[in-house]
Amino acid sequence: MTTNGTGGPGATGGGAGAGRDEDAVARFVERFAAEMTEAGMQRMASRVFAALLADDDASMTSADLGRQLRISPAAVSGAISYLTQVSMVGRERDPGSRRDRYRLHEEMWYATFADRNQVLTRWERTLRDGARSLGEDTPAGARLAETAEFFAFMQKELVGVLERWRESRGTSG
């Protein structure tokens, strides 16, 4: 299988991936997808995400994804729905075509962790309310309060980590 940088298996032409070992790419896709699945992501979404990540343009059509991963259009659609919902993939129209192209978002990891920071804030607030409701002097209330403190700590650390990442990349936020 070859790619031309347009994101599709079997395509021809230039691009940095023209001479790459497609069997090695397939092994990477399946290995990384397995890691993401083990961490809690849906299996098909993991496979589609890993395929996009390994594509030179980080962009493929539904047909490209189905062909590369040997999955049905319905499986691609379900995976793309999940990935767009969690803001990891965007949908765009192929120029001069009626086909949709799916692309990884720029700074996807940064955005994913920044969104996670908002989740930590909500969890912390809910846990603090729960600790007050249960009574912070009860075992359950103390456990909730400690968990809220952990999330507050993680939130502060994550903000610093994201700032340092931007600085290391020479970008502003």
Side-chain angles (χ1 to χ4, degrees):
M1 221 184 324
T2 60
T3 68
N4 72 346
T6 63
T12 60
R20 69 186 187 169
D21 179 347
E22 291 302 321
D23 288 335
V25 172
R27 285 190 303 275
F28 162 77
V29 166
E30 294 306 324
R31 181 177 176 200
F32 191 63
E35 294 287 341
M36 294 186 74
T37 300
E38 190 173 315
M41 184 182 274
Q42 299 172 358
R43 182 174 180 270
M44 271 313 141
S46 296
R47 293 183 73 215
V48 167
F49 177 80
L52 288 167
L53 190 63
D55 185 73
D56 287 340
D57 291 337
S59 166
M60 299 172 88
T61 66
S62 180
D64 294 335
L65 287 161
R67 199 169 28 254
Q68 179 175 333
L69 299 172
R70 296 184 177 109
I71 58 177
S72 71
V76 172
S77 178
I80 290 295
S81 291
Y82 173 81
L83 292 168
T84 55
Q85 181 182 0
V86 297
S87 301
M88 294 178 82
V89 171
R91 183 184 316 234
E92 57 191 40
R93 189 64 72 178
D94 240 353
S97 171
R98 293 176 42 187
R99 293 187 307 175
D100 284 331
R101 177 166 290 281
Y102 306 105
R103 178 176 303 282
L104 295 181
H105 285 299
E106 295 288 322
E107 297 189 346
M108 158 201 45
W109 293 116
Y110 180 92
T112 298
F113 281 92
D115 288 346
R116 194 63 44 208
N117 195 31
Q118 294 172 0
V119 170
L120 291 175
T121 299
R122 290 194 311 269
W123 288 358
E124 177 195 351
R125 194 173 313 125
T126 301
L127 287 161
R128 287 195 192 287
D129 289 346
R132 282 191 293 277
S133 295
L134 297 174
E136 293 182 28
D137 56 340
T138 67
R143 186 170 44 254
L144 293 181
E146 181 180 352
T147 304
E149 301 248 344
F150 174 78
F151 285 133
F153 174 81
M154 289 298 295
Q155 181 185 18
K156 287 177 196 161
E157 290 299 309
L158 187 54
V159 167
V161 165
L162 292 173
E163 287 172 3
R164 288 189 301 278
W165 170 254
R166 287 266 185 188
E167 290 169 5
S168 77
R169 304 292 293 168
T171 59
S172 60

